[in-house]
Amino acid sequence: MKRILLGYPSKRLAPMLLGSHKYSLESIRNLRPLQCGCGGQYRSISTGTINAVNEELPSKIHILDYIESVQGTGKIAVLFSDSPPVLWTVDILCAMKDLPGMSWVGAVLCGTFLIRAFVGLPIAVVQQKSVAKLESLKPEFQKLGNDLKRETAIAVKKFGWDEKTARTRFTRSYKKHWRKIVEENNCHPMRSLALTLLQLPFWISFSSALRNIVYAVPLPRTPEMTERWFQIYSEGTPWVESLVMPDPLVFPLVFFTANMLNIEMSRRQRRTNLVPETKMQKVFPWVLRGGIVVITCFAVSVPSAVSMYWAASSSLAFAQNIFLSSHTGKRIFKIPTIQQPQSTLGAMNKSL
């Protein structure tokens, strides 16, 4: 640590870096970035660094203090940092950044769009088709409800069931037969949840890759990792001066809003599918809401490069769901459009 600037060893620079020196954002921007891609030739950046010494950061961040804070995070800062998927994602992001005219903001947004286009969209289309197939079974569900209603009425007269017992037996029998039908047609609503969870490894890998770049991990640090840190440090947004700094408002708010809207869209869609909800399925949306609140609290403190990815991914997912729910989206991806009749289970329960 005594002779390292984010892993770049230099005995000549150590005395200057260990003093009370700070860097200005403008002086770091003037550093010429390495045109080495992800594994090219390195050249010295000591001249630009020397010119940056004795300047004061507008953000009041001392680079050495930043390094110490990263090292103090321990295992959290390096969790998954050396796993192959994360390292591959870092290489892809660096390759995108090295494209002519590409910034780190652009690389993050383009990477988010590619993941949504090649992973999220196909999964969403399969989910929508599964929902449409479930809708096509509504006449069968309605017939099942009518048959069970008649059988329940006969049982009430024969066995003297009261209203509560008759309703309980009807609901239990309906759920059992409903589950059998959807399993035979491979369109169980939990299948959509399983498909959603398939996206989680990509989300973790992309978030960890950005964390690797921002924190310059895994150790030991290389000159290229040092240069990447300078590049992403020198970029920001109109409301956050550097992507290594947290955004306490905009990105977390966008992330929270987009995810809550996505949850409500899924619940509204589920209500129209004659799906008898179990207690777990009723509680699950609240578990999701709680998870979104927890992640939003993390989004307030993580580097804005990471929270920007979270916000962009959630916003694209919401826009994607709206598009697939439209007539144009259904026509392009050949998702059947079926009229929504009245819910059988609710109507039958009321008539018992």
Side-chain angles (χ1 to χ4, degrees), residues 17 43 149 154 199 219 303 319:
L17 295 176
R43 61 183 176 81
K149 179 186 176 183
I154 294 173
Q199 304 176 67
L219 300 176

Side-chain angles (χ1 to χ4, degrees), residues 140-150 170 174 344 348:
E140 190 171 347
F141 294 149
Q142 289 177 328
K143 183 178 181 300
L144 171 64
N146 291 328
D147 292 343
L148 290 178
K149 179 186 176 183
R150 286 193 296 268
F170 170 83
Y174 183 89
T344 301
M348 294 301 169

Side-chain angles (χ1 to χ4, degrees), residues 38-57:
C38 297
Q41 299 296 320
Y42 305 116
R43 61 183 176 81
S44 173
I45 59 171
S46 58
T47 302
T49 307
I50 291 174
N51 293 335
V53 174
N54 292 325
E55 298 289 344
E56 185 176 359
L57 278 173

